[in-house]
PDB file of all heavy atoms in Angstrom:
ATOM      1  N   ASP A  53      13.234 -29.429  -6.049  1.00  0.00           N
ATOM      2  CA  ASP A  53      13.094 -28.928  -7.354  1.00  0.00           C
ATOM      3  C   ASP A  53      14.531 -28.744  -7.904  1.00  0.00           C
ATOM      4  O   ASP A  53      14.911 -29.115  -8.976  1.00  0.00           O
ATOM      5  CB  ASP A  53      12.327 -27.644  -7.412  1.00  0.00           C
ATOM      6  CG  ASP A  53      12.126 -27.100  -8.787  1.00  0.00           C
ATOM      7  OD1 ASP A  53      13.070 -26.543  -9.351  1.00  0.00           O
ATOM      8  OD2 ASP A  53      11.007 -27.239  -9.357  1.00  0.00           O
ATOM      9  N   LEU A  54      15.307 -27.915  -7.170  1.00  0.00           N
ATOM     10  CA  LEU A  54      16.702 -27.591  -7.730  1.00  0.00           C
ATOM     11  C   LEU A  54      17.659 -28.746  -7.724  1.00  0.00           C
ATOM     12  O   LEU A  54      18.471 -28.997  -8.550  1.00  0.00           O
ATOM     13  CB  LEU A  54      17.262 -26.356  -6.811  1.00  0.00           C
ATOM     14  CG  LEU A  54      16.399 -25.157  -7.055  1.00  0.00           C
ATOM     15  CD1 LEU A  54      16.524 -24.252  -5.822  1.00  0.00           C
ATOM     16  CD2 LEU A  54      16.714 -24.425  -8.308  1.00  0.00           C
ATOM     17  N   MET A  85       8.183 -30.556 -16.341  1.00  0.00           N
ATOM     18  CA  MET A  85       7.855 -29.359 -15.608  1.00  0.00           C
ATOM     19  C   MET A  85       7.024 -28.361 -16.447  1.00  0.00           C
ATOM     20  O   MET A  85       6.292 -27.558 -15.879  1.00  0.00           O
ATOM     21  CB  MET A  85       9.208 -28.711 -15.150  1.00  0.00           C
ATOM     22  CG  MET A  85       9.842 -29.431 -14.041  1.00  0.00           C
ATOM     23  SD  MET A  85      11.570 -28.797 -13.784  1.00  0.00           S
ATOM     24  CE  MET A  85      12.157 -29.959 -12.658  1.00  0.00           C
ATOM     25  N   PHE A  86       7.182 -28.411 -17.761  1.00  0.00           N
ATOM     26  CA  PHE A  86       6.502 -27.482 -18.581  1.00  0.00           C
ATOM     27  C   PHE A  86       5.009 -27.746 -18.399  1.00  0.00           C
ATOM     28  O   PHE A  86       4.135 -26.779 -18.295  1.00  0.00           O
ATOM     29  CB  PHE A  86       6.901 -27.693 -19.973  1.00  0.00           C
ATOM     30  CG  PHE A  86       5.942 -27.085 -21.023  1.00  0.00           C
ATOM     31  CD1 PHE A  86       5.819 -25.749 -21.276  1.00  0.00           C
ATOM     32  CD2 PHE A  86       5.112 -27.868 -21.909  1.00  0.00           C
ATOM     33  CE1 PHE A  86       4.959 -25.160 -22.165  1.00  0.00           C
ATOM     34  CE2 PHE A  86       4.258 -27.352 -22.769  1.00  0.00           C
ATOM     35  CZ  PHE A  86       4.190 -25.991 -22.882  1.00  0.00           C
ATOM     36  N   ALA A  89       3.744 -26.862 -14.675  1.00  0.00           N
ATOM     37  CA  ALA A  89       3.679 -25.484 -14.453  1.00  0.00           C
ATOM     38  C   ALA A  89       2.338 -24.845 -14.989  1.00  0.00           C
ATOM     39  O   ALA A  89       1.750 -24.023 -14.330  1.00  0.00           O
ATOM     40  CB  ALA A  89       4.848 -24.703 -15.009  1.00  0.00           C
ATOM     41  N   VAL A  90       1.966 -25.307 -16.162  1.00  0.00           N
ATOM     42  CA  VAL A  90       0.737 -24.827 -16.777  1.00  0.00           C
ATOM     43  C   VAL A  90      -0.489 -25.343 -16.035  1.00  0.00           C
ATOM     44  O   VAL A  90      -1.359 -24.643 -15.556  1.00  0.00           O
ATOM     45  CB  VAL A  90       0.678 -25.251 -18.257  1.00  0.00           C
ATOM     46  CG1 VAL A  90      -0.724 -24.791 -18.827  1.00  0.00           C
ATOM     47  CG2 VAL A  90       1.750 -24.524 -19.093  1.00  0.00           C
ATOM     48  N   LEU A 139       6.891 -31.306  -9.985  1.00  0.00           N
ATOM     49  CA  LEU A 139       7.742 -30.256  -9.547  1.00  0.00           C
ATOM     50  C   LEU A 139       7.490 -29.020 -10.410  1.00  0.00           C
ATOM     51  O   LEU A 139       7.892 -27.893  -9.998  1.00  0.00           O
ATOM     52  CB  LEU A 139       9.235 -30.677  -9.792  1.00  0.00           C
ATOM     53  CG  LEU A 139       9.807 -31.551  -8.714  1.00  0.00           C
ATOM     54  CD1 LEU A 139      11.177 -31.952  -8.986  1.00  0.00           C
ATOM     55  CD2 LEU A 139       9.580 -30.990  -7.326  1.00  0.00           C
ATOM     56  N   GLY A 140       6.833 -29.103 -11.556  1.00  0.00           N
ATOM     57  CA  GLY A 140       6.676 -27.950 -12.361  1.00  0.00           C
ATOM     58  C   GLY A 140       6.126 -26.615 -11.784  1.00  0.00           C
ATOM     59  O   GLY A 140       6.554 -25.522 -12.107  1.00  0.00           O
ATOM     60  N   ALA A 141       5.110 -26.790 -10.895  1.00  0.00           N
ATOM     61  CA  ALA A 141       4.491 -25.650 -10.285  1.00  0.00           C
ATOM     62  C   ALA A 141       5.081 -25.304  -8.953  1.00  0.00           C
ATOM     63  O   ALA A 141       4.613 -24.387  -8.342  1.00  0.00           O
ATOM     64  CB  ALA A 141       2.970 -25.890 -10.135  1.00  0.00           C
ATOM     65  N   GLU A 142       6.080 -26.076  -8.503  1.00  0.00           N
ATOM     66  CA  GLU A 142       6.613 -25.831  -7.089  1.00  0.00           C
ATOM     67  C   GLU A 142       7.143 -24.447  -6.884  1.00  0.00           C
ATOM     68  O   GLU A 142       6.841 -23.784  -5.929  1.00  0.00           O
ATOM     69  CB  GLU A 142       7.594 -26.997  -6.752  1.00  0.00           C
ATOM     70  CG  GLU A 142       8.113 -26.946  -5.296  1.00  0.00           C
ATOM     71  CD  GLU A 142       7.049 -27.165  -4.375  1.00  0.00           C
ATOM     72  OE1 GLU A 142       5.997 -27.810  -4.592  1.00  0.00           O
ATOM     73  OE2 GLU A 142       7.199 -26.642  -3.203  1.00  0.00           O
ATOM     74  N   LEU A 143       8.086 -24.055  -7.745  1.00  0.00           N
ATOM     75  CA  LEU A 143       8.809 -22.759  -7.510  1.00  0.00           C
ATOM     76  C   LEU A 143       7.727 -21.629  -7.723  1.00  0.00           C
ATOM     77  O   LEU A 143       7.731 -20.667  -6.899  1.00  0.00           O
ATOM     78  CB  LEU A 143      10.015 -22.628  -8.319  1.00  0.00           C
ATOM     79  CG  LEU A 143      11.066 -23.619  -8.131  1.00  0.00           C
ATOM     80  CD1 LEU A 143      12.302 -23.183  -8.824  1.00  0.00           C
ATOM     81  CD2 LEU A 143      11.377 -23.789  -6.682  1.00  0.00           C
ATOM     82  N   PRO A 144       6.940 -21.604  -8.791  1.00  0.00           N
ATOM     83  CA  PRO A 144       6.005 -20.479  -8.916  1.00  0.00           C
ATOM     84  C   PRO A 144       4.925 -20.560  -7.777  1.00  0.00           C
ATOM     85  O   PRO A 144       4.485 -19.436  -7.308  1.00  0.00           O
ATOM     86  CB  PRO A 144       5.190 -20.855 -10.255  1.00  0.00           C
ATOM     87  CG  PRO A 144       6.213 -21.663 -11.028  1.00  0.00           C
ATOM     88  CD  PRO A 144       7.026 -22.465  -9.995  1.00  0.00           C
ATOM     89  N   ASP A 147       6.628 -18.923  -4.777  1.00  0.00           N
ATOM     90  CA  ASP A 147       6.589 -17.446  -5.024  1.00  0.00           C
ATOM     91  C   ASP A 147       5.231 -16.778  -4.687  1.00  0.00           C
ATOM     92  O   ASP A 147       5.195 -15.826  -3.961  1.00  0.00           O
ATOM     93  CB  ASP A 147       6.984 -17.072  -6.413  1.00  0.00           C
ATOM     94  CG  ASP A 147       8.329 -17.594  -6.879  1.00  0.00           C
ATOM     95  OD1 ASP A 147       9.116 -18.002  -5.970  1.00  0.00           O
ATOM     96  OD2 ASP A 147       8.551 -17.671  -8.019  1.00  0.00           O
ATOM     97  N   TYR A 167      14.564 -19.529  -0.710  1.00  0.00           N
ATOM     98  CA  TYR A 167      15.342 -20.053  -1.723  1.00  0.00           C
ATOM     99  C   TYR A 167      16.853 -20.354  -1.406  1.00  0.00           C
ATOM    100  O   TYR A 167      17.426 -21.179  -2.003  1.00  0.00           O
ATOM    101  CB  TYR A 167      15.402 -19.113  -3.026  1.00  0.00           C
ATOM    102  CG  TYR A 167      14.154 -19.403  -3.862  1.00  0.00           C
ATOM    103  CD1 TYR A 167      13.025 -18.554  -3.672  1.00  0.00           C
ATOM    104  CD2 TYR A 167      14.107 -20.389  -4.730  1.00  0.00           C
ATOM    105  CE1 TYR A 167      11.914 -18.805  -4.453  1.00  0.00           C
ATOM    106  CE2 TYR A 167      12.943 -20.618  -5.507  1.00  0.00           C
ATOM    107  CZ  TYR A 167      11.922 -19.780  -5.425  1.00  0.00           C
ATOM    108  OH  TYR A 167      10.773 -20.005  -6.133  1.00  0.00           O
ATOM    109  N   LEU A 284       7.179 -10.809 -19.011  1.00  0.00           N
ATOM    110  CA  LEU A 284       7.481 -12.007 -18.257  1.00  0.00           C
ATOM    111  C   LEU A 284       7.665 -13.243 -19.193  1.00  0.00           C
ATOM    112  O   LEU A 284       8.565 -14.012 -18.964  1.00  0.00           O
ATOM    113  CB  LEU A 284       6.476 -12.323 -17.187  1.00  0.00           C
ATOM    114  CG  LEU A 284       6.870 -13.326 -16.146  1.00  0.00           C
ATOM    115  CD1 LEU A 284       8.065 -12.856 -15.384  1.00  0.00           C
ATOM    116  CD2 LEU A 284       5.673 -13.409 -15.146  1.00  0.00           C
ATOM    117  N   TRP A 285       6.925 -13.360 -20.295  1.00  0.00           N
ATOM    118  CA  TRP A 285       7.064 -14.476 -21.152  1.00  0.00           C
ATOM    119  C   TRP A 285       8.426 -14.416 -21.859  1.00  0.00           C
ATOM    120  O   TRP A 285       9.217 -15.522 -22.004  1.00  0.00           O
ATOM    121  CB  TRP A 285       5.922 -14.441 -22.275  1.00  0.00           C
ATOM    122  CG  TRP A 285       4.734 -15.038 -21.624  1.00  0.00           C
ATOM    123  CD1 TRP A 285       4.231 -14.941 -20.365  1.00  0.00           C
ATOM    124  CD2 TRP A 285       3.754 -15.867 -22.447  1.00  0.00           C
ATOM    125  NE1 TRP A 285       2.958 -15.522 -20.324  1.00  0.00           N
ATOM    126  CE2 TRP A 285       2.638 -16.103 -21.505  1.00  0.00           C
ATOM    127  CE3 TRP A 285       3.626 -16.236 -23.716  1.00  0.00           C
ATOM    128  CZ2 TRP A 285       1.612 -16.855 -21.889  1.00  0.00           C
ATOM    129  CZ3 TRP A 285       2.553 -17.018 -24.159  1.00  0.00           C
ATOM    130  CH2 TRP A 285       1.531 -17.285 -23.249  1.00  0.00           C
ATOM    131  N   GLN A 288      11.249 -15.238 -19.307  1.00  0.00           N
ATOM    132  CA  GLN A 288      11.393 -16.627 -18.849  1.00  0.00           C
ATOM    133  C   GLN A 288      12.128 -17.485 -19.856  1.00  0.00           C
ATOM    134  O   GLN A 288      12.848 -18.305 -19.513  1.00  0.00           O
ATOM    135  CB  GLN A 288       9.996 -17.282 -18.613  1.00  0.00           C
ATOM    136  CG  GLN A 288       9.338 -16.714 -17.304  1.00  0.00           C
ATOM    137  CD  GLN A 288      10.091 -17.041 -16.033  1.00  0.00           C
ATOM    138  OE1 GLN A 288      11.151 -17.757 -15.989  1.00  0.00           O
ATOM    139  NE2 GLN A 288       9.599 -16.728 -14.932  1.00  0.00           N
ATOM    140  N   GLN A 291      15.898 -16.093 -19.526  1.00  0.00           N
ATOM    141  CA  GLN A 291      16.641 -16.348 -18.256  1.00  0.00           C
ATOM    142  C   GLN A 291      16.970 -17.812 -18.187  1.00  0.00           C
ATOM    143  O   GLN A 291      18.035 -18.158 -17.454  1.00  0.00           O
ATOM    144  CB  GLN A 291      15.771 -15.900 -17.131  1.00  0.00           C
ATOM    145  CG  GLN A 291      14.549 -16.722 -16.708  1.00  0.00           C
ATOM    146  CD  GLN A 291      14.790 -17.958 -15.872  1.00  0.00           C
ATOM    147  OE1 GLN A 291      15.882 -18.169 -15.360  1.00  0.00           O
ATOM    148  NE2 GLN A 291      13.771 -18.898 -15.781  1.00  0.00           N
ATOM    149  N   THR A 292      16.308 -18.734 -18.686  1.00  0.00           N
ATOM    150  CA  THR A 292      16.646 -20.158 -18.678  1.00  0.00           C
ATOM    151  C   THR A 292      17.960 -20.504 -19.246  1.00  0.00           C
ATOM    152  O   THR A 292      18.746 -21.353 -18.696  1.00  0.00           O
ATOM    153  CB  THR A 292      15.535 -21.024 -19.452  1.00  0.00           C
ATOM    154  OG1 THR A 292      14.255 -20.608 -18.945  1.00  0.00           O
ATOM    155  CG2 THR A 292      15.796 -22.525 -19.214  1.00  0.00           C
ATOM    156  N   TYR A 295      20.722 -19.225 -16.877  1.00  0.00           N
ATOM    157  CA  TYR A 295      20.679 -19.845 -15.542  1.00  0.00           C
ATOM    158  C   TYR A 295      20.853 -21.330 -15.600  1.00  0.00           C
ATOM    159  O   TYR A 295      21.880 -21.831 -15.248  1.00  0.00           O
ATOM    160  CB  TYR A 295      19.418 -19.466 -14.774  1.00  0.00           C
ATOM    161  CG  TYR A 295      19.433 -19.794 -13.293  1.00  0.00           C
ATOM    162  CD1 TYR A 295      19.947 -18.940 -12.376  1.00  0.00           C
ATOM    163  CD2 TYR A 295      19.031 -21.114 -12.892  1.00  0.00           C
ATOM    164  CE1 TYR A 295      20.073 -19.328 -11.046  1.00  0.00           C
ATOM    165  CE2 TYR A 295      19.160 -21.441 -11.618  1.00  0.00           C
ATOM    166  CZ  TYR A 295      19.603 -20.620 -10.678  1.00  0.00           C
ATOM    167  OH  TYR A 295      19.748 -20.932  -9.322  1.00  0.00           O
ATOM    168  N   TYR A 296      19.851 -21.977 -16.169  1.00  0.00           N
ATOM    169  CA  TYR A 296      19.970 -23.444 -16.235  1.00  0.00           C
ATOM    170  C   TYR A 296      20.962 -23.936 -17.212  1.00  0.00           C
ATOM    171  O   TYR A 296      21.416 -25.033 -17.118  1.00  0.00           O
ATOM    172  CB  TYR A 296      18.648 -24.006 -16.480  1.00  0.00           C
ATOM    173  CG  TYR A 296      17.665 -23.929 -15.349  1.00  0.00           C
ATOM    174  CD1 TYR A 296      16.536 -23.048 -15.399  1.00  0.00           C
ATOM    175  CD2 TYR A 296      17.817 -24.552 -14.200  1.00  0.00           C
ATOM    176  CE1 TYR A 296      15.715 -22.997 -14.363  1.00  0.00           C
ATOM    177  CE2 TYR A 296      17.057 -24.432 -13.066  1.00  0.00           C
ATOM    178  CZ  TYR A 296      15.876 -23.562 -13.190  1.00  0.00           C
ATOM    179  OH  TYR A 296      15.094 -23.427 -12.133  1.00  0.00           O
ATOM    180  N   SER A 385      18.221 -14.867  -9.404  1.00  0.00           N
ATOM    181  CA  SER A 385      17.107 -15.774  -9.309  1.00  0.00           C
ATOM    182  C   SER A 385      16.159 -15.349  -8.172  1.00  0.00           C
ATOM    183  O   SER A 385      14.875 -15.254  -8.376  1.00  0.00           O
ATOM    184  CB  SER A 385      17.612 -17.133  -9.074  1.00  0.00           C
ATOM    185  OG  SER A 385      16.530 -18.035  -8.851  1.00  0.00           O
ATOM    186  N   PHE A 388      14.182 -12.352  -9.254  1.00  0.00           N
ATOM    187  CA  PHE A 388      13.026 -12.395 -10.325  1.00  0.00           C
ATOM    188  C   PHE A 388      11.915 -13.251  -9.655  1.00  0.00           C
ATOM    189  O   PHE A 388      10.757 -13.106 -10.121  1.00  0.00           O
ATOM    190  CB  PHE A 388      13.557 -12.844 -11.642  1.00  0.00           C
ATOM    191  CG  PHE A 388      13.583 -14.413 -11.879  1.00  0.00           C
ATOM    192  CD1 PHE A 388      12.453 -15.012 -11.948  1.00  0.00           C
ATOM    193  CD2 PHE A 388      14.853 -15.099 -12.010  1.00  0.00           C
ATOM    194  CE1 PHE A 388      12.481 -16.455 -12.300  1.00  0.00           C
ATOM    195  CE2 PHE A 388      14.733 -16.484 -12.248  1.00  0.00           C
ATOM    196  CZ  PHE A 388      13.587 -17.141 -12.423  1.00  0.00           C
ATOM    197  N   HIS A 389      12.222 -14.264  -8.767  1.00  0.00           N
ATOM    198  CA  HIS A 389      11.199 -14.978  -8.212  1.00  0.00           C
ATOM    199  C   HIS A 389      10.196 -14.157  -7.424  1.00  0.00           C
ATOM    200  O   HIS A 389       8.994 -14.303  -7.333  1.00  0.00           O
ATOM    201  CB  HIS A 389      11.776 -16.174  -7.404  1.00  0.00           C
ATOM    202  CG  HIS A 389      12.103 -17.368  -8.200  1.00  0.00           C
ATOM    203  ND1 HIS A 389      11.113 -18.272  -8.585  1.00  0.00           N
ATOM    204  CD2 HIS A 389      13.364 -17.888  -8.621  1.00  0.00           C
ATOM    205  CE1 HIS A 389      11.736 -19.195  -9.327  1.00  0.00           C
ATOM    206  NE2 HIS A 389      13.001 -19.015  -9.271  1.00  0.00           N
ATOM    207  N   GLN A 392       8.167 -11.715 -10.061  1.00  0.00           N
ATOM    208  CA  GLN A 392       7.205 -12.259 -10.932  1.00  0.00           C
ATOM    209  C   GLN A 392       5.872 -12.463 -10.222  1.00  0.00           C
ATOM    210  O   GLN A 392       4.842 -12.294 -10.770  1.00  0.00           O
ATOM    211  CB  GLN A 392       7.567 -13.587 -11.647  1.00  0.00           C
ATOM    212  CG  GLN A 392       7.779 -14.728 -10.732  1.00  0.00           C
ATOM    213  CD  GLN A 392       8.182 -16.023 -11.462  1.00  0.00           C
ATOM    214  OE1 GLN A 392       8.348 -16.077 -12.576  1.00  0.00           O
ATOM    215  NE2 GLN A 392       8.425 -17.119 -10.711  1.00  0.00           N
ATOM    216  N   SER A 403      -1.917 -18.682 -12.004  1.00  0.00           N
ATOM    217  CA  SER A 403      -1.950 -18.985 -13.467  1.00  0.00           C
ATOM    218  C   SER A 403      -0.946 -18.200 -14.258  1.00  0.00           C
ATOM    219  O   SER A 403      -0.255 -18.743 -15.044  1.00  0.00           O
ATOM    220  CB  SER A 403      -3.400 -18.677 -14.075  1.00  0.00           C
ATOM    221  OG  SER A 403      -4.413 -19.553 -13.494  1.00  0.00           O
ATOM    222  N   ALA A 404      -0.883 -16.889 -13.967  1.00  0.00           N
ATOM    223  CA  ALA A 404      -0.008 -16.044 -14.686  1.00  0.00           C
ATOM    224  C   ALA A 404       1.432 -16.355 -14.406  1.00  0.00           C
ATOM    225  O   ALA A 404       2.195 -16.537 -15.431  1.00  0.00           O
ATOM    226  CB  ALA A 404      -0.222 -14.538 -14.234  1.00  0.00           C
ATOM    227  N   VAL A 405       1.833 -16.676 -13.189  1.00  0.00           N
ATOM    228  CA  VAL A 405       3.195 -17.016 -12.978  1.00  0.00           C
ATOM    229  C   VAL A 405       3.492 -18.487 -13.422  1.00  0.00           C
ATOM    230  O   VAL A 405       4.531 -18.693 -14.001  1.00  0.00           O
ATOM    231  CB  VAL A 405       3.523 -16.970 -11.395  1.00  0.00           C
ATOM    232  CG1 VAL A 405       4.876 -17.442 -11.122  1.00  0.00           C
ATOM    233  CG2 VAL A 405       3.388 -15.514 -10.908  1.00  0.00           C
ATOM    234  N   GLY A 406       2.645 -19.320 -13.253  1.00  0.00           N
ATOM    235  CA  GLY A 406       2.802 -20.812 -13.693  1.00  0.00           C
ATOM    236  C   GLY A 406       2.968 -20.871 -15.082  1.00  0.00           C
ATOM    237  O   GLY A 406       3.810 -21.609 -15.635  1.00  0.00           O
ATOM    238  N   ILE A 407       1.997 -20.212 -15.922  1.00  0.00           N
ATOM    239  CA  ILE A 407       2.132 -20.289 -17.381  1.00  0.00           C
ATOM    240  C   ILE A 407       3.422 -19.676 -17.860  1.00  0.00           C
ATOM    241  O   ILE A 407       4.161 -20.245 -18.792  1.00  0.00           O
ATOM    242  CB  ILE A 407       0.922 -19.599 -18.055  1.00  0.00           C
ATOM    243  CG1 ILE A 407      -0.351 -20.489 -17.655  1.00  0.00           C
ATOM    244  CG2 ILE A 407       1.138 -19.433 -19.534  1.00  0.00           C
ATOM    245  CD1 ILE A 407      -1.658 -19.763 -18.134  1.00  0.00           C
ATOM    246  N   ALA A 408       3.758 -18.495 -17.375  1.00  0.00           N
ATOM    247  CA  ALA A 408       4.982 -17.874 -17.833  1.00  0.00           C
ATOM    248  C   ALA A 408       6.272 -18.752 -17.372  1.00  0.00           C
ATOM    249  O   ALA A 408       7.169 -18.963 -18.175  1.00  0.00           O
ATOM    250  CB  ALA A 408       5.233 -16.572 -17.104  1.00  0.00           C
ATOM    251  N   TYR A 409       6.205 -19.348 -16.189  1.00  0.00           N
ATOM    252  CA  TYR A 409       7.320 -20.133 -15.822  1.00  0.00           C
ATOM    253  C   TYR A 409       7.366 -21.487 -16.614  1.00  0.00           C
ATOM    254  O   TYR A 409       8.511 -21.960 -16.812  1.00  0.00           O
ATOM    255  CB  TYR A 409       7.202 -20.444 -14.307  1.00  0.00           C
ATOM    256  CG  TYR A 409       8.486 -20.808 -13.654  1.00  0.00           C
ATOM    257  CD1 TYR A 409       9.584 -19.855 -13.498  1.00  0.00           C
ATOM    258  CD2 TYR A 409       8.717 -22.073 -13.200  1.00  0.00           C
ATOM    259  CE1 TYR A 409      10.733 -20.165 -12.873  1.00  0.00           C
ATOM    260  CE2 TYR A 409      10.000 -22.368 -12.505  1.00  0.00           C
ATOM    261  CZ  TYR A 409      10.944 -21.410 -12.462  1.00  0.00           C
ATOM    262  OH  TYR A 409      12.112 -21.763 -11.809  1.00  0.00           O
ATOM    263  N   SER A 410       6.308 -21.873 -17.093  1.00  0.00           N
ATOM    264  CA  SER A 410       6.334 -23.089 -17.918  1.00  0.00           C
ATOM    265  C   SER A 410       7.156 -22.904 -19.223  1.00  0.00           C
ATOM    266  O   SER A 410       7.793 -23.859 -19.730  1.00  0.00           O
ATOM    267  CB  SER A 410       4.917 -23.466 -18.323  1.00  0.00           C
ATOM    268  OG  SER A 410       4.351 -22.592 -19.348  1.00  0.00           O
ATOM    269  N   LEU A 411       7.257 -21.651 -19.707  1.00  0.00           N
ATOM    270  CA  LEU A 411       8.120 -21.480 -20.922  1.00  0.00           C
ATOM    271  C   LEU A 411       9.481 -21.652 -20.554  1.00  0.00           C
ATOM    272  O   LEU A 411      10.399 -22.099 -21.376  1.00  0.00           O
ATOM    273  CB  LEU A 411       7.912 -19.986 -21.340  1.00  0.00           C
ATOM    274  CG  LEU A 411       6.487 -19.614 -21.804  1.00  0.00           C
ATOM    275  CD1 LEU A 411       6.271 -18.203 -22.151  1.00  0.00           C
ATOM    276  CD2 LEU A 411       6.056 -20.571 -22.955  1.00  0.00           C
ATOM    277  N   SER A 412       9.961 -21.286 -19.264  1.00  0.00           N
ATOM    278  CA  SER A 412      11.364 -21.473 -18.854  1.00  0.00           C
ATOM    279  C   SER A 412      11.618 -23.038 -18.810  1.00  0.00           C
ATOM    280  O   SER A 412      12.749 -23.490 -19.193  1.00  0.00           O
ATOM    281  CB  SER A 412      11.684 -20.870 -17.579  1.00  0.00           C
ATOM    282  OG  SER A 412      11.129 -21.631 -16.394  1.00  0.00           O
ATOM    283  N   ARG A 413      10.691 -23.760 -18.412  1.00  0.00           N
ATOM    284  CA  ARG A 413      10.745 -25.312 -18.344  1.00  0.00           C
ATOM    285  C   ARG A 413      10.847 -25.861 -19.713  1.00  0.00           C
ATOM    286  O   ARG A 413      11.742 -26.808 -19.993  1.00  0.00           O
ATOM    287  CB  ARG A 413       9.616 -25.859 -17.533  1.00  0.00           C
ATOM    288  CG  ARG A 413       9.504 -25.426 -16.104  1.00  0.00           C
ATOM    289  CD  ARG A 413      10.906 -25.403 -15.410  1.00  0.00           C
ATOM    290  NE  ARG A 413      10.751 -25.434 -13.943  1.00  0.00           N
ATOM    291  CZ  ARG A 413      11.733 -25.413 -13.102  1.00  0.00           C
ATOM    292  NH1 ARG A 413      12.906 -25.449 -13.458  1.00  0.00           N
ATOM    293  NH2 ARG A 413      11.440 -25.517 -11.713  1.00  0.00           N
ATOM    294  N   LEU A 414      10.021 -25.389 -20.587  1.00  0.00           N
ATOM    295  CA  LEU A 414      10.104 -25.920 -22.005  1.00  0.00           C
ATOM    296  C   LEU A 414      11.398 -25.579 -22.597  1.00  0.00           C
ATOM    297  O   LEU A 414      12.060 -26.440 -23.316  1.00  0.00           O
ATOM    298  CB  LEU A 414       8.939 -25.295 -22.865  1.00  0.00           C
ATOM    299  CG  LEU A 414       8.841 -25.719 -24.263  1.00  0.00           C
ATOM    300  CD1 LEU A 414       8.706 -27.232 -24.370  1.00  0.00           C
ATOM    301  CD2 LEU A 414       7.804 -24.997 -24.988  1.00  0.00           C
ATOM    302  N   THR A 415      11.879 -24.358 -22.405  1.00  0.00           N
ATOM    303  CA  THR A 415      13.231 -24.015 -22.895  1.00  0.00           C
ATOM    304  C   THR A 415      14.336 -24.800 -22.229  1.00  0.00           C
ATOM    305  O   THR A 415      15.256 -25.106 -22.972  1.00  0.00           O
ATOM    306  CB  THR A 415      13.526 -22.442 -22.494  1.00  0.00           C
ATOM    307  OG1 THR A 415      12.417 -21.629 -23.066  1.00  0.00           O
ATOM    308  CG2 THR A 415      14.737 -22.070 -23.170  1.00  0.00           C
TER     309      THR A 415
END
Side-chain angles (χ1 to χ4, degrees):
D53 181 285
L54 296 156
M85 289 173 185
F86 166 70
V90 175
L139 285 179
E142 183 63 25
L143 298 191
D147 301 343
Y167 277 97
L284 196 56
W285 281 35
Q288 289 292 3
Q291 69 89 7
T292 307
Y295 191 88
Y296 289 112
S385 178
F388 94 69
H389 274 286
Q392 66 179 359
S403 299
V405 175
I407 292 172
Y409 202 66
S410 74
L411 298 178
S412 79
R413 300 313 203 179
L414 181 61
T415 306

